[in-house]
Amino acid sequence: MTLVQLRKSGPFVEPFKEDFRKPEDPPRALRTLAHIIDNDLCHRCGSCVGICPTDVLAVDDEEYPVVKNLGACTDCDLCVKVCPGDEFDAVSVAKQMFGEFPDPKDMHGHFKAAYLAYATDPQVRERSTSGGLVTALLLSLLRRGIIDGAVVIGSHETELWKGVPIIARTEDAIREATKAKYAISPTNVVFKEIREIPGSYAVVGLPCQIHGFHNAARLDKRLKERVKVTIGLFCHAAIEHEPMKKIWADTGQHGQAASKFISRYGKHSGTPHLEFPDGSVRPVYFPNAKSFRPSSMEIINVLYRLYTPPRCLTCYDATSEFADIAVGDPWMPRPSDKINFFDGYTFTFARTECGDKLLQDASEAGDLELIGLRRKTAKTANIAMGVEKRHRAFRLIETRRRQGYAVPFYNFKIPRATGKEFVLTELNILSHIFCFVRPGRKAVMRLLFSPIGYGLLWLNHFRRVFRDWRRNSVAKAKRKLGGSSPSAKSSL
């Protein structure tokens, strides 16, 4: 099978200069899709592949769409219409879901309730990224016959770091997909399977993939009817494959012998490990270090600034604002002295009635422990990440528009930044300079994993520890002023 590239080096990039179309020319839809990709609007979410009715498209090694069967294209334009990278009508979708469009400056979005949660199954909680809410909820829905399968990310057979979209139809398959994946993965390619096989499904995805689902559900009623719940993951950005390939290559014979790549071993926020057939594990980052080892987040926060995909830089949705349920790590002050985030907790928004009911039902079934959060408390979560992503996206959209470049359409007016927001956003964009000027980022990455980089990461770790200690101390003082701490069963 020959795959025809649609991106930069592909044959469909240059626009036709003639006023007519030759018989051998590719269909208009594919030419339009090529321009979307070439203008850095492709999320690589897989929606175009999943919606195609004649199986024209596939994905390449970098997860970009490619043509695998040009002769089958009917020029139906669904691949273009579904693309959330080009267009996502946030206002229309929000009004349909919530009856209103939230303040575009509010990075938390609309939500009915907020919780800290964890799986009641100790094994699920221990092996999960945070509290195991997603795994526990999917297992609960499957056991109770609410869903027949769940769209999740499994692991590649040989490149264990690489995510592979699957529909998990058994408890074992759901458990195997536990743990976050950070490299780009085209989750929505599995829409094809949902459209072809009747049943009830849950979709777990990043914000862009949830956007793609809403676009696809408007185009194919089977998706709308069969997907019973969407579970969105908080996201700062995905990461290009290039650094992950380098990190994997550096594992050498250990990577070849491993049976699993655990992206986060340990809690809040853990560090990647290789797991071997005998159950033993080996750290991926600085495996010979005797004491301090940087966490996943401490490394990822550097890789984001080197290898954030172009379209991620113009995505403003950090907290999966258009999912029924949105989940992430609890980056927030501890709401109670009784809660230790290192035990494993998932922060979650129930954004719709459906989402809240499914969470409550799973709790009543004994599969989840839910700890209600007051609205004010919930809005202290993930602020740094969410605000940074939002302001960066708005700033880049406005800049690219003025410069005449293609920008994503969200159907709302970009809010004006304050002076402070402008300065902080400019500094943040500067920290992502290697995402725009790529020469040099390989050298920075080599430095990151050198002895000098290790020392810098060690210093940054203590900066983060001090910041979290100060934040928690202030929160504890405020709780004391406000009275005794509530029990874990009450709203915090």
Side-chain angles (χ1 to χ4, degrees):
M1 179 177 65
T2 300
L3 299 179
V4 181
Q5 294 286 342
L6 283 166
R7 60 190 172 106
K8 299 188 186 300
S9 61
F12 301 157
V13 171
E14 291 299 323
F16 290 96
K17 300 184 185 302
E18 297 85 355
D19 293 330
F20 58 91
R21 193 180 137 191
K22 299 176 183 178
E24 66 271 20
D25 289 340
R28 179 189 57 80
L30 293 181
R31 287 179 287 148
T32 304
L33 186 62
H35 282 291
I36 289 173
I37 297 166
D38 198 35
N39 281 286
D40 288 332
L41 293 178
C42 179
H43 273 302
R44 288 175 267 180
C45 65
S47 299
C48 55
V49 179
I51 199 69
C52 180
T54 54
D55 205 26
V56 171
L57 299 171
V59 293
D60 65 12
D61 288 342
E62 299 296 325
E63 316 298 5
Y64 281 102
V66 291
V67 177
K68 69 174 183 178
N69 188 4
L70 178 59
C73 182
T74 62
D75 210 8
C76 66
D77 211 32
L78 289 177
C79 58
V80 174
K81 292 177 180 177
V82 79
C83 178
D86 180 47
E87 179 176 341
F88 175 65
D89 191 341
V91 174
S92 175
V93 174
K95 288 182 177 179
Q96 180 182 355
M97 293 182 70
F98 316 125
E100 64 173 3
F101 178 61
D103 180 355
K105 296 198 78 168
D106 181 1
M107 50 78 55
H108 290 103
H110 174 96
F111 61 95
K112 297 189 69 65
Y115 305 97
L116 289 175
Y118 58 87
T120 55
D121 182 333
Q123 189 176 42
V124 171
R125 188 182 189 187
E126 180 183 354
R127 292 184 64 85
S128 68
T129 298
S130 47
L133 179 146
V134 174
T135 301
L137 178 59
L138 295 178
L139 290 172
S140 182
L141 294 174
L142 189 67
R143 289 179 194 136
R144 293 183 287 119
I146 308 299
I147 60 172
D148 300 300
V151 177
V152 293
I153 300 297
S155 295
H156 193 276
E157 289 184 2
T158 56
E159 297 177 286
L160 302 181
W161 59 269
K162 190 175 185 180
V164 178
I166 62 170
I167 295 184
R169 298 180 180 274
T170 66
E171 289 193 26
D172 286 345
I174 289 173
R175 290 176 186 271
E176 278 298 307
T178 299
K179 290 287 187 186
K181 309 292 191 301
Y182 294 108
I184 290 175
S185 186
T187 295
N188 294 356
V189 298
V190 299
F191 287 171
K192 175 180 171 57
E193 187 175 339
I194 296 175
R195 289 165 48 240
E196 291 178 348
I197 303 176
S200 298
Y201 299 90
V203 171
V204 182
L206 300 175
C208 59
Q209 293 156 356
I210 300 299
H211 299 176
F213 164 74
H214 286 293
N215 284 356
R218 288 183 169 188
L219 298 171
D220 191 325
K221 67 178 183 181
R222 289 171 293 184
L223 288 168
K224 185 175 182 180
E225 292 169 354
R226 294 173 183 175
V227 174
K228 303 304 180 183
V229 61
T230 54
I231 302 171
L233 309 175
F234 289 10
C235 178
H236 189 175
I239 295 177
E240 296 281 6
H241 286 186
E242 183 180 335
M244 302 305 297
K245 288 178 179 178
K246 176 65 169 63
I247 291 169
W248 181 252
D250 287 346
T251 64
Q253 62 181 6
H254 300 288
Q256 295 175 15
S259 59
K260 183 178 290 187
F261 180 91
I262 303 174
S263 58
R264 283 170 57 175
Y265 187 85
K267 295 297 180 187
H268 208 62
S269 60
T271 187
H273 278 61
L274 299 174
E275 183 176 301
F276 300 96
D278 63 359
S280 62
V281 295
R282 173 185 168 87
V284 173
Y285 304 149
F286 302 101
N288 298 318
K290 301 301 182 183
S291 54
F292 164 71
R293 186 170 289 110
S295 72
S296 290
M297 286 299 97
E298 287 166 335
I299 295 289
I300 293 297
N301 280 339
V302 179
L303 295 183
Y304 280 147
R305 287 161 169 77
L306 301 174
Y307 292 96
T308 292
R311 182 57 180 85
C312 289
L313 293 169
T314 52
C315 176
Y316 74 93
D317 186 356
T319 58
S320 285
E321 296 180 41
F322 301 91
D324 293 300
I325 299 167
V327 301
D329 288 318
W331 297 110
M332 61 189 297
R334 287 196 301 163
S336 166
D337 293 340
K338 296 181 179 181
I339 291 176
N340 182 355
F341 290 144
F342 290 96
D343 292 336
Y345 288 85
T346 303
F347 178 85
T348 184
F349 285 126
R351 298 197 182 278
T352 63
E353 291 279 2
C354 167
D356 200 27
K357 184 177 187 306
L358 292 177
L359 288 171
Q360 295 289 348
D361 289 348
S363 178
E364 291 176 9
D367 298 315
L368 277 179
E369 184 73 18
L370 295 177
I371 303 169
L373 296 173
R374 299 188 183 101
R375 196 170 194 86
K376 183 178 180 180
T377 304
K379 287 207 164 201
T380 65
N382 296 83
I383 291 176
M385 181 271 289
V387 170
E388 179 182 278
K389 180 176 182 177
R390 203 174 200 87
H391 289 164
R392 182 180 65 226
F394 290 164
R395 176 76 174 90
L396 289 174
I397 289 171
E398 289 291 90
T399 299
R400 287 180 62 85
R401 181 183 287 123
R402 286 196 302 269
Q403 293 173 344
Y405 293 110
V407 295
F409 175 76
Y410 290 120
N411 197 25
F412 63 82
K413 185 177 180 180
I414 300 298
R416 189 177 181 86
T418 65
K420 180 181 178 181
E421 290 169 348
F422 177 82
V423 172
L424 292 176
T425 300
E426 291 300 302
L427 292 173
N428 177 255
I429 291 175
L430 182 62
S431 76
H432 285 75
I433 188 64
F434 287 106
C435 296
F436 305 97
V437 184
R438 297 182 180 183
R441 64 183 181 181
K442 289 183 179 179
V444 176
M445 187 173 168
R446 285 196 297 271
L447 177 65
L448 174 66
F449 291 103
S450 72
I452 293 174
Y454 180 83
L456 293 173
L457 288 165
W458 182 81
L459 291 173
N460 184 57
H461 170 75
F462 281 97
R463 180 191 66 83
R464 292 168 64 90
V465 168
F466 174 74
R467 182 198 63 187
D468 291 347
W469 170 81
R470 184 180 62 180
R471 181 192 64 191
N472 289 330
S473 297
V474 170
K476 184 175 182 179
K478 288 181 178 179
R479 289 198 301 271
K480 286 185 177 180
L481 288 174
S484 59
S485 298
S487 68
K489 289 288 186 180
S490 65
S491 290
L492 300 179

